[in-house]
Amino acid sequence: MNRIRRRSVTAAAGAAVVLAGLITAAGPAAAAGTTACSPAIELLPALPGLSGGTVAGFGAGGLVVGESGGRPAYWTGAEHTVHAVPLPAGFDRGSVKAVSAKGLMVGTATRDADRARVSFTHQTGAATSEALTAPVAEGYGVDIDVNESGRVVAVDQGVAKEWVNGKVVRELPVPADAIPGTKAVSLSGINKRGDIVGTATGSFYDADNDIEVTKTFPVVWPAGGGYPPYSLQVWNGYHYSFSTIGRDIDDRGRVVGVEDYHYRNDPKLTPAVWKKPYDALPADPGRLAGYRNLELSGSSPTTNVAVGTATTFEESWPSSFQAVYWPGTGAPLALPFPAGGPGAVPLSRAFAATDDDRVGGTVVDRDTQASSAVIWTCASKQAYTPKS
């Protein structure tokens, strides 16, 4: 099984709610299919005694989920009151990744002793969380998602599975056209209909050409299990330096993700978008002005919006991050840093978007390293083209 690389921003101190309707040099992006809203940047409070945080998903009734100070957390109400989510027994850190319409939360957790990771579930109001999958070693991808109706998807002991009410209802096969040795290594999205997106990796030795062949690519499993899975096409395959990863799937079946290239200190992140009937190479929506790299991490259910992060690397290490908003057409746009922030090179990332034009992620002050979970409301009216 090949390892899928993950890059993240270090979190530090949190902050209270800050409202800032910012006007940008290039003007706001046009909102698509959104209700009336007020542009604002809301910094969410951290759990008592902790600092920093990330918004990873949105639920019904204003519920927001993610992590605070490395602990699973959620926020409720207009003031975003913060609540702790219990970790599975024996685990020390984690994050909530998504929540169903009835409050079933799913997330991932890490054990400090050996860096092992699991996926877990938690029903809002329950006293405990339950590990859903067996632990995997440090460095291996762990993803999980749940849709509105409570269908949960994750990879358990090398097998892609779907659960309903805590019971496995189907195992997801790899595509018939996959190379030898292919296994699903992560499941990262399930839409309202029940279509699932994940990532698979295969590797074998090609004796005729004396090379090791490796391919990491996204897969879509249609809802219900009555149709075979789709191998999504990739620009580059068959070499370990390329990993093409599916991150999210919207209610129309559009998949967003990234081609992650890393070879000899020359990393590159290329955004990728696939549409039904999944019979073509992915589209590249372009880059944020001034950045060479961009990865898409999440999408709204029906408004065609995708969000992610633009990155600058220096000597193969990420030196700056910028939260990105892509309306679905045209060039990707930047989301602003809170008023009074550090200016030209803040650190920010975006992970989740809603149909009512909210975007969730994290912001970090480069100078103080203070960070916070963040929501951009009416994001389309704040998104802008950077000057450089």
Side-chain angles (χ1 to χ4, degrees), residues 1-314:
M1 182 184 297
N2 283 38
R3 303 188 179 190
I4 298 178
R5 295 180 293 276
R6 301 289 184 193
R7 301 183 175 93
S8 62
V9 178
T10 301
V17 174
V18 177
L19 302 181
L22 300 182
I23 299 175
T24 67
T34 60
T35 57
C37 56
S38 298
I41 302 175
E42 300 177 349
L43 301 182
L44 278 57
L47 288 168
L50 300 176
S51 61
T54 298
V55 171
F58 296 91
L63 182 67
V64 179
V65 300
E67 62 87 12
S68 175
R71 306 291 177 84
Y74 65 98
W75 294 264
T76 56
E79 297 301 317
H80 301 302
T81 302
V82 64
H83 309 267
V85 172
L87 284 155
F91 287 80
D92 306 287
R93 293 176 290 111
S95 174
V96 179
K97 301 298 184 183
V99 59
S100 75
K102 293 185 178 181
L104 177 63
M105 299 183 187
V106 298
T108 61
T110 301
R111 186 167 56 204
D112 286 343
D114 58 0
R115 310 287 292 182
R117 303 177 71 199
V118 295
S119 299
F120 70 87
T121 62
H122 173 76
Q123 183 62 50
T124 306
T128 61
S129 296
E130 303 299 328
L132 186 71
T133 59
V136 297
E138 177 184 7
Y140 284 84
V142 176
D143 281 312
I144 189 170
D145 198 21
V146 62
N147 69 359
E148 292 181 18
S149 64
R151 291 183 173 269
V152 178
V153 292
V155 174
D156 183 23
Q157 296 181 299
V159 179
K161 299 178 180 179
E162 180 180 359
W163 289 260
V164 176
N165 296 324
K167 297 181 179 180
V168 176
V169 294
R170 64 169 171 155
E171 295 184 355
L172 309 177
V174 297
D177 59 357
I179 66 173
T182 295
K183 291 184 178 181
V185 292
S186 69
L187 298 182
S188 52
I190 178 170
N191 63 17
K192 182 177 181 179
R193 168 185 162 88
D195 303 316
I196 299 164
V197 67
T199 301
T201 292
S203 183
F204 73 98
Y205 176 66
D206 181 353
D208 292 338
N209 296 296
D210 192 27
I211 59 172
E212 186 73 19
V213 176
T214 299
K215 184 180 181 182
T216 301
F217 61 99
V219 179
V220 169
W221 290 269
Y227 299 91
Y230 296 92
S231 296
L232 301 194
Q233 295 187 33
V234 299
W235 294 301
N236 301 286
Y238 305 106
H239 192 274
Y240 67 86
S241 60
F242 291 98
S243 296
T244 306
I245 302 163
R247 291 277 175 77
D248 199 14
I249 185 167
D250 70 12
D251 288 349
R252 301 173 183 176
R254 185 192 66 168
V255 173
V256 299
V258 62
E259 179 191 77
D260 185 341
Y261 169 81
H262 196 284
Y263 186 67
R264 294 182 177 176
N265 297 324
D266 183 29
K268 184 178 181 182
L269 301 173
T270 304
V273 180
W274 296 261
K275 294 182 179 180
K276 287 183 172 180
Y278 310 126
D279 58 354
L281 287 168
D284 179 348
R287 305 296 175 278
L288 182 67
Y291 288 82
R292 179 190 175 198
N293 303 277
L294 172 62
E295 56 184 313
L296 296 177
S297 300
S299 56
S300 63
T302 66
T303 58
N304 215 35
V305 169
V307 297
T309 306
T311 304
T312 296
F313 292 101
E314 294 181 7

